[in-house]
Amino acid sequence: MKNFLKSTLTLCLALLSLVSINAQQKIKMENTALLIIDVQNDYFLGGKMTLEGAEQAGKNTQQVLEYFRKNNLPVIHIRHISTNEGATFFLPGTLGAEIHSLVSPLPNEKVIEKHFPNSFRETELLSYLQSKNIKNLVIAGMMTDVCVESTTRAAFDFGFNNVIIGDATATRDRELNGQIIKASEIQRSFLAGISALGGLYTNIVNTQDFLKGK
C-alpha cells in the first residue's frame, strides 16, 4: 500500500511538473514576436539587388510566419525604404520596395518602415515591442550581414532574447581588397560570429528544428 501511494504521489508530481513546464513555455511564446526584416522584391530574382538563396530563405520565412499566425502570435514586418543619396534599390514608390508575396502582411500585422540597417534606429520598433510586453524575438530576413546582424545586436543591447532562423536569412557575394567573398562564406561567418560566446547575441536554429521544437 505504501509503495502504491508513493508511486501515485510520484506520478502526480511528475504531471504537475509537466503542466508547469508547458505553462512556462506558453508564457514564453506569449512574450515572443516574429520579426521579418526586409523580405522585399528587390532581393529576389529580377530585383535590383538579388541575393543568393533568397527564394529558399523566403519560403522558410513563410513557414515560420505560418506558425506564428496559426498560434495568434505577434508578427512585425520591417520594410526598408532607401532615402540616402545614390541608392539603387528599395526606392520609394517602386515595386522592388514592396514586401514579397511569400510573406505579405495581413491587415492585423504591424509593418514598420525604416531607412537604416538597424531596424530600431529612428523607428517605433522598440516602443511597439515594449507596448506588447515582448521579451523574445524570432528573427528572419535579409541581408544576413547587414540589416539582420545590426538589428539583432541592437535587440540584445535593448535586453531582448533573440533567435535567428539561419536558413530564413540570405546575403550575396562581397568584395574585399579586390577579392570576392562568396555569399555562402559570408552567411556562415556572420551567423557563427553573432552566435559566439554561447549565443550571447542570439541563438541560431534552422526552420525545421524551430518548428519541431514547438
Side-chain angles (χ1 to χ4, degrees):
M1 187 61 157
K2 288 183 178 179
N3 288 338
F4 174 76
L5 290 173
K6 184 177 180 181
S7 297
T8 302
L9 179 60
T10 300
L11 179 60
C12 290
L13 289 173
L15 289 173
L16 286 171
S17 177
L18 182 60
V19 169
S20 176
I21 290 172
N22 287 337
Q24 289 174 8
Q25 289 176 340
K26 183 176 181 181
I27 291 171
K28 184 177 180 181
M29 289 309 295
E30 286 177 348
N31 293 316
T32 299
L34 174 61
L35 188 63
I36 301 176
I37 302 173
D38 301 355
V39 181
Q40 296 168 242
N41 291 329
D42 269 339
Y43 280 154
F44 289 77
L45 188 63
K48 295 181 179 179
M49 185 58 69
T50 306
L51 304 186
E52 182 83 19
E55 187 72 24
Q56 187 58 56
K59 289 178 179 178
N60 288 335
T61 302
Q62 183 184 50
Q63 290 185 59
V64 178
L65 174 59
E66 288 172 354
Y67 167 82
F68 273 75
R69 286 173 172 171
K70 180 180 178 180
N71 290 277
N72 297 312
L73 295 168
V75 175
I76 302 109
H77 300 261
I78 303 296
R79 179 178 176 232
H80 191 97
I81 298 297
S82 298
T83 56
N84 55 302
E85 185 177 351
T88 59
F89 64 101
F90 291 166
L91 300 178
T94 64
L95 180 62
E98 295 301 316
I99 293 175
H100 195 275
S101 60
L102 285 170
V103 295
S104 294
L106 296 179
N108 65 324
E109 292 173 352
K110 184 70 172 178
V111 179
I112 294 177
E113 187 175 293
K114 70 176 175 66
H115 306 296
F116 299 94
N118 175 6
S119 302
F120 289 93
R121 181 175 173 180
E122 297 181 21
T123 73
E124 61 177 310
L125 178 58
L126 179 59
S127 61
Y128 180 78
L129 294 173
Q130 291 173 335
S131 73
K132 299 298 182 181
N133 197 33
I134 301 300
K135 307 295 184 183
N136 315 293
L137 294 176
V138 175
I139 300 170
M142 307 169 185
M143 291 186 275
T144 311
D145 49 325
V146 186
C147 297
V148 172
E149 190 207 24
S150 61
T151 298
T152 302
R153 291 185 184 277
F156 169 79
D157 288 339
F158 283 124
F160 294 96
N161 302 307
N162 305 309
V163 170
I164 291 178
I165 309 298
D167 58 0
T169 64
T171 188
R172 68 199 311 264
D173 293 353
R174 303 292 186 200
E175 182 180 346
L176 179 64
N177 297 327
Q179 293 185 331
I180 299 299
I181 313 298
K182 300 299 292 182
S184 58
E185 185 176 346
I186 297 289
Q187 182 80 359
R188 289 195 304 270
S189 296
F190 272 81
L191 290 179
I194 201 170
S195 60
L197 302 176
L200 177 63
Y201 286 98
T202 184
N203 289 308
I204 310 293
V205 300
N206 64 36
T207 301
Q208 293 310 311
D209 286 343
F210 175 81
L211 295 176
K212 286 177 184 176
K214 306 306 171 192

